């Protein structure tokens, strides 16, 4: 950690632990939020983990109805709805491999259930209780693939009272939304809850090419959830949720990176400063093909069962889930094959995915000198898919360059435990560990075909298969101390683990299902797999409430040592494009986060968040020649500052609520290491406004919102082939709610 950053960190913690250590009060103070970040219910202010919580009220106020809409409200966190799935970056750690063989670095969960595929993480957020975002490795309680952290969406469960809500919104760019919820207590032992949502909006992109097709960044999805809570006697309860959704949005939502940058061909991209209108206009006309109308059809269903049984000294719980996901799409690629040459590529795709998971956990009850929990976990995912890359004849490939996989399987099992011991009044020590075994395999082929259907007389296939088994013990040690009734000081050392995997290709002499591996295209065994990603994280923090509970401050400082950071890119091997993941040696991440809120008056609430971050490669030679040591990791601005204000005033006949928020970010990089390209995203601000009205005693309310007042866009991601996903431009909407 740099001297200035370390000094600021120490000063911030010392100030918050002394000057702000006052007793929390109720009454007009800031309401406490109960979270389950440590897998048991506890106040957020007493949970010794760096985290952010967005409640249902906050989500509705800012209009956050997809995970990608949350990012601007979360310190050191980016959630981006890319064309190929949700990209999560926490404190500079991310993952770009969204194929069937890839894993995220931050786990995305719904009601505590891990959702494996990024393409099915772009869910609609509706009837949500809260969203918990945990920053830092969570390997002990949440398992593998949580080296960066966890995003857990917690939906509302049935309650013992009748209630309902109908809402509708209409906005710019053809935005149309309708939602509804009803909760019915059938009797003393059974309560039911149903919720549904429907969302549409037109494309943000403009078509400036000669092909008459509609472009993406549009939306057309609907979802419904039915929940049932059943009391099984006095000490047990069963909660069952079933959800189904369909998404027919168009995923042709990228533009060439040249929409944002000049000088790409020279290897020195420079921000071009074009207008938002030009940056969102797709002007590429491929010289080798004619693009078709793109589409994307997703169908998702899930069944989750949560059983809790209070045994007196401890509670036994079982969380079981089954999820299925079907995806069918046609995507039109901009594909740069040389610094000054780009081709068009059409990619039809079809895939089916299913996953099952079970967790059995036993946790002690009460607040005795020792609290503990432990359990076992089992997970299985099976995928089957086919990609067709067309129009690459100019680089010596056939009309249909095919990747067919059946099956791709991932299995994981783990045993875990964690205990907290009270050492003295207000002082607690925590120790936990988790042992995980992962097995991943794929059987498939790479086809060189004249048509979509394979013809053995004219076409060729080569094996595309791999398997890897990895295991790891992750652990956590922590101390926390109640410095004052309303001030918690904590520190921890934690480790995280992300499973290893395999790349496209095959080893000489291998054969499966009648498909062999020709010696001419075989790859060295060492390049077919990559190692697990691991991290050791050191963290210290303070959570405090002061001004008689009318102000909060959370401060965290951290230092990460990453090993074998997994980075993914499209590469050309033996003249053929492949998707390859490699280990980046080492990375160092250190920083400070401070956030909180202040009730300045009975009518005014202010929120704030400051982050300082230094995240860079410690050792990395992506092309075997040029070192990237010292180069910043993607999406790691050195500084960000977020400020928010809400004013509530009672005027004749009702309550008027006005709100404003802004986030100012320093510049940051988006890197394509294999091509040696560093795209710098300039510093920027992004602001929101809202105005709401709720009549006295009336069951209805209305809320008007404007997002991205500046109307500036940036690339969220940039691929090695030159695809850039733009952020959303300025949007506005009006929402009406009726409650009963």
């Amino acid at each position: 950690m740099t001297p200035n950053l370390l000094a600021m960190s120490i000063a911030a913690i010392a100030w918050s632990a002394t000057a702000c250590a006052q007793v929390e009060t109720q009454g007009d103070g800031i309401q406490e939020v109960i979270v389950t970040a440590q897998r048991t219910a506890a106040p957020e202010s007493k949970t010794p983990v760096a985290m952010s919580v967005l409640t249902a009220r906050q989500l509705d106020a800012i209009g956050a109805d997809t995970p990608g809409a949350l990012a601007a409200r979360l310190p050191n966190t980016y959630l981006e709805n890319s064309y190929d799935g949700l990209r999560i970056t926490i404190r500079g750690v991310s993952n770009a491999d969204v194929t069937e063989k890839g894993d995220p670095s931050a786990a995305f969960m719904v009601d505590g259930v891990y959702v494996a595929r990024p393409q099915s993480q772009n869910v609609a957020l509706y009837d949500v209780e809260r969203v918990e975002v945990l920053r830092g490795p969570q390997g002990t309680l949440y398992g593998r693939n949580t080296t960066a952290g966890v995003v857990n969406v917690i939906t509302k469960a049935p309650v013992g009272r009748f209630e309902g809500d109908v809402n509708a919104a209409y906005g710019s760019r053809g935005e149309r939304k309708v939602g509804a919820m009803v909760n019915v207590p059938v009797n003393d032992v059974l309560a039911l809850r149903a919720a549904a949502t429907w969302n549409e909006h037109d494309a943000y992109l403009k078509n400036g090419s000669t092909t008459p097709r509609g472009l993406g960044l549009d939306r057309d999805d609907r979802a419904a959830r039915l929940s049932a809570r059943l009391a099984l006697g006095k000490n047990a309860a069963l909660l069952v949720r079933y959800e189904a959704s369909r998404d027919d949005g168009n995923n042709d939502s990228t533009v060439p990176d040249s929409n944002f940058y000049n000088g790409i061909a020279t290897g020195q991209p420079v921000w071009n400063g074009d207008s938002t209108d030009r940056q969102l206009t797709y002007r590429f006309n491929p010289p080798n093909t004619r693009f078709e109308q793109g589409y994307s059809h997703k169908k998702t269903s899930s069944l989750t069962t949560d059983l809790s049984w209070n045994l007196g000294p401890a509670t036994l719980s079982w969380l079981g889930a089954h999820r299925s996901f079907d995806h069918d799409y046609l995507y039109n690629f901009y594909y740069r094959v040389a610094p000054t040459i780009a081709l068009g590529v059409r990619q039809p795709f079809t895939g089916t995915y299913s996953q099952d998971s079970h967790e059995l956990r036993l946790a002690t009850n009460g607040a005795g000198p020792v609290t503990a929990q432990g359990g076992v976990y089992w997970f299985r995912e099976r995928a089957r898919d086919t990609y067709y890359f067309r129009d690459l004849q100019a680089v010596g490939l056939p009309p249909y360059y095919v990747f067919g996989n059946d099956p791709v399987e991932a299995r994981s099992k783990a045993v875990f435990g964690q205990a907290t011991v009270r050492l003295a009044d207000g002082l607690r020590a925590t120790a936990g560990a988790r042992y995980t075994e992962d097995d991943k395999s794929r059987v498939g082929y790479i086809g060189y075909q004249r048509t979509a259907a394979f013809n053995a007389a004219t076409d060729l296939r080569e094996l595309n298969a791999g398997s890897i088994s990895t295991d790891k013990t992750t652990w956590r040690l922590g101390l926390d101390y109640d410095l004052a009734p309303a001030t918690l000081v904590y520190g921890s050392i934690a480790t995280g683990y992300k499973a290893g995997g395999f790349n496209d290709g095959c080893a000489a002499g291998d054969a499966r299902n009648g498909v062999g591996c020709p010696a001419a295209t075989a790859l060295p065994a060492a390049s077919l797999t990559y190692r697990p990603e691991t991290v050791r994280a050191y963290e210290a923090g303070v959570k405090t409430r002061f001004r008689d509970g009318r102000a909060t401050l959370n401060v965290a400082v951290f230092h990460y040592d990453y090993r074998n950071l997994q980075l993914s890119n499209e590469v050309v091997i033996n003249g053929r494009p492949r998707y390859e993941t490699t280990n980046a040696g080492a990375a160092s991440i250190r920083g400070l986060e401070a956030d909180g809120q202040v009730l300045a008056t009975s009518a005014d609430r202010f929120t704030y968040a400051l982050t300082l971050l230094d995240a860079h490669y410690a050792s990395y030679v992506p092309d075997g020649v040029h070192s990237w040591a010292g180069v910043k990791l993607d999406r790691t601005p050195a500084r960000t500052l977020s400020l928010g204000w809400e004013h509530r005033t009672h005027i004749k006949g009702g309550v008027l609520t006005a709100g404003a928020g802004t986030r100012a970010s320093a510049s940051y990089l988006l890197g394509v290491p294999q091509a040696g390209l560093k795209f710098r995203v300039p510093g920027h601000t992004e602001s929101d406004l809202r105005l709401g009205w709720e009549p006295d005693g009336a069951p209805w309310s209305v809320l008007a919102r404007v997002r991205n007042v500046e109307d500036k866009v940036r690339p969220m991601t940039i691929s090695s082939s030159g695809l850039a996903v733009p952020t959303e431009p300025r949007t506005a909407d009006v929402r009406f709610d009726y409650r009963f």
Side-chain angles (χ1 to χ4, degrees):
M1 185 173 290
T2 62
N4 289 340
L5 183 56
L6 179 60
M8 292 182 66
S9 304
I10 295 173
I13 289 183
W15 177 81
S16 62
T18 55
C20 298
Q22 300 184 26
V23 177
E24 174 187 356
T25 61
Q26 301 298 318
D28 295 329
I30 295 172
Q31 183 179 359
E32 184 68 86
V33 179
I34 303 300
V35 300
T36 53
Q38 296 289 280
R39 309 304 300 271
T40 56
E44 186 277 331
S45 65
K46 298 299 183 182
T47 302
V49 174
M51 65 179 299
S52 299
V53 184
L54 292 172
T55 64
R57 178 182 177 274
Q58 292 170 314
L59 295 172
D60 290 341
I62 63 179
D65 58 1
T66 67
L70 305 177
R73 285 86 189 170
L74 303 170
N76 273 333
T77 303
Y78 293 82
L79 291 91
E80 296 162 323
N81 288 332
S82 182
Y83 73 99
D84 53 2
L86 183 67
R87 303 285 186 93
I88 305 175
T89 304
I90 300 178
R91 293 174 173 175
V93 182
S94 186
N95 178 65
D97 188 353
V98 297
T99 69
E100 72 288 331
K101 62 185 178 58
D103 289 315
S105 295
F108 184 85
M109 297 185 167
V110 177
D111 295 318
V113 175
Y114 176 71
V115 180
R117 291 302 99 212
Q119 296 85 351
S120 63
Q121 295 172 1
N122 283 341
V123 295
L125 301 180
Y126 64 104
D127 202 34
V128 169
E129 181 71 33
R130 64 187 183 277
V131 179
E132 299 181 4
V133 180
L134 283 61
R135 299 185 292 276
Q138 308 296 325
T140 301
L141 293 180
Y142 289 90
R144 83 212 208 291
N145 304 338
T146 59
T147 54
V150 170
V151 177
N152 192 10
V153 177
I154 301 166
T155 64
K156 291 185 177 180
V159 295
R161 62 180 180 275
F162 178 81
E163 62 182 15
D165 175 84
V166 177
N167 62 79
Y170 183 79
S172 59
R173 301 179 188 270
E175 182 181 68
R176 305 169 295 278
K177 300 179 180 180
V178 176
M181 176 277 297
V182 62
N183 187 98
V184 179
V186 178
N187 50 42
D188 292 340
V189 298
L190 177 64
L192 301 175
R193 189 180 189 96
T197 185
W198 171 79
N199 307 279
E200 285 188 354
H201 71 63
D202 300 334
Y204 297 144
L205 299 184
K206 295 182 179 180
N207 188 1
S209 69
T210 59
T211 304
R213 61 191 179 101
L215 298 179
L217 274 185
D218 58 1
R219 187 174 183 185
D220 181 9
D221 63 76
R222 63 222 66 129
R225 182 188 310 117
L226 178 63
S227 307
R229 183 188 292 276
L230 179 66
L232 304 175
K234 296 182 178 179
N235 299 316
L238 178 67
L239 175 60
V240 179
R241 294 179 171 99
Y242 175 75
E243 183 171 14
S245 66
R246 183 175 179 90
D247 184 348
D248 293 313
N250 178 7
N251 65 349
D252 264 354
S253 55
T254 63
V255 295
D257 51 12
S258 55
N259 273 35
F260 294 96
Y261 295 91
N262 298 324
I264 299 170
T266 67
Q268 302 293 327
V270 178
W271 184 259
N272 62 25
D274 275 354
S275 67
T276 297
D277 184 73
R278 281 187 57 82
Q279 290 174 336
L280 293 180
T281 300
Y282 192 93
R283 299 182 293 272
F284 175 63
N285 291 294
N288 61 313
T289 190
R290 181 175 176 84
F291 283 154
E292 303 175 31
Q293 177 59 54
Y295 58 83
S296 175
H297 304 303
K298 301 178 183 178
K299 291 174 60 178
T300 304
S301 65
S302 65
L303 177 64
T304 303
T305 304
D306 191 346
L307 175 64
S308 179
W309 185 13
N310 189 333
L311 303 175
T315 294
L316 180 67
S317 60
W318 166 62
L319 179 62
H322 172 78
R323 295 181 62 89
S324 65
F325 173 56
D326 298 333
H327 197 187
D328 177 30
Y329 68 74
L330 171 66
Y331 187 77
N332 295 284
F333 274 97
Y334 171 88
Y335 188 73
R336 183 182 291 115
V337 296
T340 59
I341 300 174
L343 301 177
V345 178
R346 291 169 292 168
Q347 184 204 342
F349 170 91
T350 181
T352 61
Y353 309 82
S354 66
Q355 68 169 71
D356 296 277
S357 63
H358 299 275
E359 181 184 77
L360 187 66
R361 187 168 57 90
L362 186 67
T364 59
N365 294 326
V370 178
T371 59
Q373 58 179 300
V376 294
Y377 177 79
W378 180 87
F379 170 87
R380 181 186 65 187
E381 181 191 25
R382 182 185 175 102
R384 181 174 63 249
D385 56 38
T386 304
Y387 305 71
Y388 293 87
F389 293 94
R390 303 188 60 185
D391 312 309
L392 285 170
Q393 296 93 316
V395 294
L397 289 170
Y400 287 82
Y401 179 53
V402 185
F403 287 77
N405 304 299
D406 185 12
V408 183
E409 293 188 307
R411 296 175 183 266
S412 182
K413 52 188 177 182
V415 56
F416 63 92
Q418 182 167 295
T420 298
V421 180
R422 189 169 65 218
L423 303 177
D425 287 344
L427 178 64
R428 296 164 294 273
T430 297
R434 186 185 190 104
Y435 175 73
T436 304
E437 291 182 355
D438 285 294
D439 297 291
K440 301 168 70 174
S441 64
R442 174 180 61 190
V443 177
Y445 66 88
I446 302 174
Y448 306 88
Q449 301 175 193
R450 305 300 302 172
T451 63
F454 178 74
N455 184 335
T458 59
D459 301 335
L460 299 175
R461 283 181 174 177
E462 65 182 52
L463 187 64
N464 187 32
S467 64
I468 188 171
S469 296
T470 57
D471 64 275
K472 187 70 176 178
T473 297
T474 51
W475 50 267
R476 179 183 182 90
L477 298 174
L479 283 173
D480 61 275
Y481 178 59
D482 296 322
L483 187 63
T487 300
L488 175 72
V489 182
Y490 66 91
S492 66
I493 305 174
T495 63
Y497 151 76
K498 179 180 172 182
F502 43 80
N503 288 311
D504 293 330
C506 58
D510 198 1
R512 315 277 180 90
N513 298 336
V515 181
C517 185
T521 57
L523 298 178
S527 68
L528 291 175
T529 60
Y530 52 89
R531 297 183 297 277
E533 175 182 288
T534 61
V535 61
R536 178 173 294 185
Y538 305 85
E539 186 155 335
V542 172
K543 296 185 176 185
T544 186
R545 292 187 163 213
F546 52 102
R547 293 188 68 232
D548 294 327
R550 298 177 62 82
T552 68
L553 172 65
N554 302 321
V555 179
V557 293
F558 52 90
H559 175 88
Y560 292 178
D561 286 323
Y562 262 92
R563 293 292 181 269
N564 296 319
L565 194 67
Q566 295 173 7
L567 299 177
S568 304
N569 270 291
E570 298 163 3
V571 297
V572 177
I573 301 175
N574 296 332
R576 298 164 174 83
R578 307 284 175 89
Y579 204 76
E580 183 179 64
T581 298
T582 57
N583 295 105
S588 176
I589 301 174
R590 61 196 80 182
L592 175 146
E593 298 163 350
D595 67 273
Q597 52 184 311
V598 178
L599 295 180
T601 70
S602 59
D604 296 281
R605 178 190 300 263
F606 293 91
T607 60
Y608 60 92
L610 169 69
T611 69
L612 304 175
L613 188 61
D614 175 17
H616 60 270
Y617 299 106
S619 64
Y620 183 31
V621 185
D623 59 0
V625 178
H626 302 93
S627 173
W628 273 44
V631 175
K632 299 292 186 180
L633 300 183
D634 286 2
R635 304 173 195 87
T636 57
R639 298 168 302 280
T640 66
L641 176 65
S642 300
L643 297 173
W645 168 69
E646 181 182 85
H647 178 77
R648 292 173 59 86
T649 182
H650 190 277
I651 60 178
K652 185 177 181 180
V655 175
L656 184 69
T657 302
T662 188
R663 178 176 182 174
S665 170
S667 64
Y668 55 85
L669 289 182
L670 296 175
V672 183
Q674 282 78 358
L677 296 174
K678 305 181 183 75
F679 297 91
R680 181 169 294 278
V681 179
H684 55 272
T685 61
E686 185 171 325
S687 307
D688 301 337
L689 298 173
R690 65 182 184 274
L691 184 66
W693 170 251
E694 186 171 357
D696 289 337
W700 63 271
S701 62
V702 63
L703 176 63
R705 300 170 293 211
V706 180
R707 293 173 289 275
N708 188 7
V709 175
E710 295 86 348
D711 196 28
K712 299 295 184 182
V713 296
R714 303 166 300 282
M716 289 190 289
T717 63
I718 299 179
S719 73
S720 55
S721 66
L723 290 173
V725 182
T727 58
E728 295 182 2
R730 179 171 56 228
T731 59
D733 72 344
V734 177
R735 169 170 165 152
F736 176 83
D737 276 271
Y738 183 84
R739 295 167 294 277
F740 56 88

